[in-house]
Amino acid sequence: MIDFKLFQHPQRYIGNEWNVIKKSHNKRIPICLCYPDSYEIGMSNLGLRIIYSLLNDSDDIVCERAFFPGEDFNNFLLNNNQKLFSLETKTPLANFEVLGFNFNYELNFVNFLYILSLAKIPLFSRARKDLIVLGGGIANPESLADFVDVFYIGEFEAGTASFIEVLRKYKDKKSRLEALCEIEGFYVPAFYSAELKNDKYEFNKIYSYAKLPVKRTYVSNLDKSHYPLKWLTPHTAIVHDRVPIEIARGCPNRCTFCQARAMYYPYREKKAETVCRIIREIYKNSGYENFSLLSLSSSDYSQIEELIDILFAEFKQKRIGLALPSLRADDILGKLYSKLHLLRKTSLTVAIESANDSLRNHIGKKIDIKKLFETARLIRTFNLKHIKLYFMIGFKEETEEDLRAIGLFLEKLNQETHLSLNVSINVFVPKPFSLREDATMAEKDTLLDKINIVKNGLPKRRSINISISPVEKSILEAIISRADRKFSSVILDVSKASCNNRNAAGNWLIWQEAMSKNHIDCAAYLKAETINFPWSFINTGLPECNLKKHE
Amino acid sequence: MNEQRFLIKAVIKKSDEMIYFSQIDLGLVLERALRRAELPLYFTQGFRPRVKLSFSRALKLGVEGEEEVTFYFSKNITPQELQEKLKKQLPHGLTILKIIE
C-alpha cells in the first residue's frame, strides 16, 4: 500500500469520491478512461463523466479512471519501478482491455504518450497485442494515427452500445477493430492510407469494409440522452467546482473562427423540465452546492426565462448557487434583465472579438456595441464589479486601425461605466472544420507586430487587466491541430523530451528541434488556401461540409 | 441574526482514506453530506452562504484523529435523527463517535 501523504494533493490518486463505482474485474470487460491532464482538470470534464457513467451502466463492463500524475507521484512511480494504475482498483493500465483517451487539447497529445510509457505500454498501435487505445474528442486525428487503434469521431453516447456489443462478441484486437470500422463514427487509421500527392491528400481504404468518408455521429435526441445522475463528488475542491448541467449542445451562430460549432453540430436543447429533473436528482445524490447551466450560447436557449424562474423558486431555500455563463449582452438588456439578480453572478463575459463593427460582422460575430455599453451601465445596478472581454487578433482583413480601436474601446468603456475590465486577447487559429479552416495563419513576426500595435494603444489604468495569449503557443496549437500523419514522429520526440522536462509540451524550442530533426516544414500546415486537408476524409454533417465535397 | 438556530455537538473520527483530506476539505465533505441527508440546514450569512459548521481544532493531514464538530440547524432535531441520517451519507473513513449534546 502506497503512503499517499508523500504526495501533494493525495486525493488525486485515492479514488474514493462519493458515488465512485468499484466493481470486481471478474468476468467483466475492464475499460479505463485516461485523461491526459491533471485530476483537477479531468474531473471538470463533462464528457469523461458521461462516458464513465454510461459504460458502468452495463453490468458486464467495469470502467475506471486514470489521470496525468503530478511530478512527485510520477517520480515515485519511476523510482520504484511501478506502473501507472487506475484510481478505483489500483489496477495497472496494461491490464485493461481498452484505454479511452480524451484529445480535446492539442498540447496534451504529448501527455497521452507519456501516460502510455508510464504504464509500460507500447506506444505504437502496431506494437500492442491485445490492448485497444480508443481516442475521442478530437477534430483532426491524423497526427496520432500511428498511436491510436481506433478513434470515435463525434459524440460517444451515440456509439457506446455498439462499442460494448463488439467487445462482447469479439475477443482479439484484430477482429474487434475489423468489426468497429464498419460502424458509423469509428475510424481505424490502420485501415486507410493518406498520402500527399501534388499538394492534395489522397485517402484510400486498405481494408475494404472500412467506411470512407468517415461520418461524424451525434445524439439525435439530447433531451433523452444519458446524464450522469450519480455525480462523482470529490472530497476536495476541483478547478470548476460546480456541476455543469448541459441545457443545449451545438450553437446556432456562425462565427467563422469557431471549431466548437462543427464539433457539436447540430444545435439541440434539453427541455426545461428535464434540466430541472436532472438538477434535482444530482443534488439529492451529491449534495453539491453549485450548478452551472452549460451551453455554447445560453442566450439561444428557448426556455431560458422559464428555466431560471423554476430553478430559482425551487432552490432558493437550499442556497444553491446557479451560474449562467455565455450570455449575450442584448439579452441582459432585454428578457433577462429582471432575472439576473436571482443568479449568483459576479461578472459578465462578452466575447466581443473585435472593436471594429465591420470586422466583427466579417467574422460572423453579432454584437451591438451600443447595447454593450447600455448593458455595462445597467449591470452596475446588480452589484457586478467587472466585465470580462475576449478579443481575437490575427485576421487577414484586419487593419492597424482595427487593432488600435481595441485600446480606444476599452478606455471608453472603462470611463463610462467605471467597471473594471478583464481583457483577454487571443490569436486567431484556423482550426479544422471551422468556417475559416482554409485561412492562412498569420506568421509569428506579423502577430508580434500586431500585438505591439494593440499594446501601444492600451490605456494604462489599474482597473483594466490585460492578458495576451503567447504567440508561440497559438502557432503550436495551429500546427498540431492541422498536422498530417508524418507529424507523429514529432509528437513522439517531444514526449520523450518530456521525461526529463515536464514543461516540454509548452516549449517552442523543443518542438522546433523535433520538427527539424524529422524534416517537417510546419509552414506547409499553416499555409492552406485549398479545399483539401489531412482531415478531409471526415464528414462532420455540417451543411457547408457537404457542399464543399461536391465542388 | 433573526433566524433561530439549534446546535448539536458531536465527535467525529477521521480514518482510512479520509486521513488524506485537509480540514477545509472536511468542511466541504460534511456540508455535502448534510445536504444529502436533507436535514434542516442553517446557513452562514453573506454573498456566498455555506452550511454553518464549527470545529474545535484542526486535525493533521495524514493521520487518524478525532475532533469535536458543532452542527447548526434551522429546526430542532433530535441527536438520534442527526446520527441516523448523517451516518448513511458519510464517506468511508468518517464516523460519528458520539453526540455530546
Side-chain angles (χ1 to χ4, degrees), chain A residues 3-5 10-11 14 16 18 233-236 283 285-289 317-319 344 346, chain B residues 3 17-18 20-21 25 28-29 31-32 35-36 38 43 47-50 62 88-91:
Chain A
D3 182 7
F4 289 103
K5 71 172 182 290
Q11 62 279 1
I14 294 172
N16 71 335
W18 190 255
T233 307
H235 301 312
T236 186
Y283 179 77
N285 292 335
S286 70
Y288 238 96
E289 61 291 329
Q317 285 305 314
K318 292 175 175 152
R319 309 289 204 281
R344 187 186 275 185
T346 51
Chain B
E3 237 180 303
E17 298 106 59
M18 288 311 291
Y20 300 117
F21 292 85
D25 294 336
L28 188 72
V29 173
E31 165 162 0
R32 288 177 180 161
R35 284 175 177 275
R36 289 192 296 268
E38 296 179 322
F43 294 93
F47 187 63
R48 281 172 194 277
R50 308 293 311 232
K88 288 184 210 143
Q89 302 299 336
L90 289 178

Side-chain angles (χ1 to χ4, degrees), chain A residues 142 193-194 201-205 212 532-537:
Chain A
E142 289 302 87
S193 67
Y201 285 95
E202 268 180 32
F203 307 99
N204 286 299
K205 296 191 263 188
L212 186 67
N532 174 277
F533 305 101
W535 56 90
S536 291
F537 66 95

Side-chain angles (χ1 to χ4, degrees), chain A residues 293-308:
Chain A
L293 304 180
L294 184 79
S295 70
L296 287 168
S297 163
S298 35
S299 296
D300 290 298
Y301 182 72
S302 56
Q303 294 174 283
I304 191 77
E305 291 166 89
E306 198 182 330
L307 180 62
I308 294 176

Side-chain angles (χ1 to χ4, degrees), chain A residues 2-13:
Chain A
I2 297 168
D3 182 7
F4 289 103
K5 71 172 182 290
L6 297 173
F7 314 116
Q8 273 190 342
H9 311 291
Q11 62 279 1
R12 287 173 175 172
Y13 314 106

Side-chain angles (χ1 to χ4, degrees), chain A residues 349-366:
Chain A
T349 305
V350 187
I352 172 168
E353 314 304 352
S354 166
N356 176 308
D357 293 334
S358 76
L359 181 59
R360 207 167 43 248
N361 278 332
H362 223 86
I363 57 181
K365 195 89 203 186
K366 293 181 201 112

Side-chain angles (χ1 to χ4, degrees), chain A residues 13 35 90 170 219 239 402 431 443 504:
Chain A
Y13 314 106
Y35 200 87
K90 312 281 182 273
Y170 302 97
V219 172
V239 176
D402 295 333
K431 286 282 178 87
E443 283 178 28

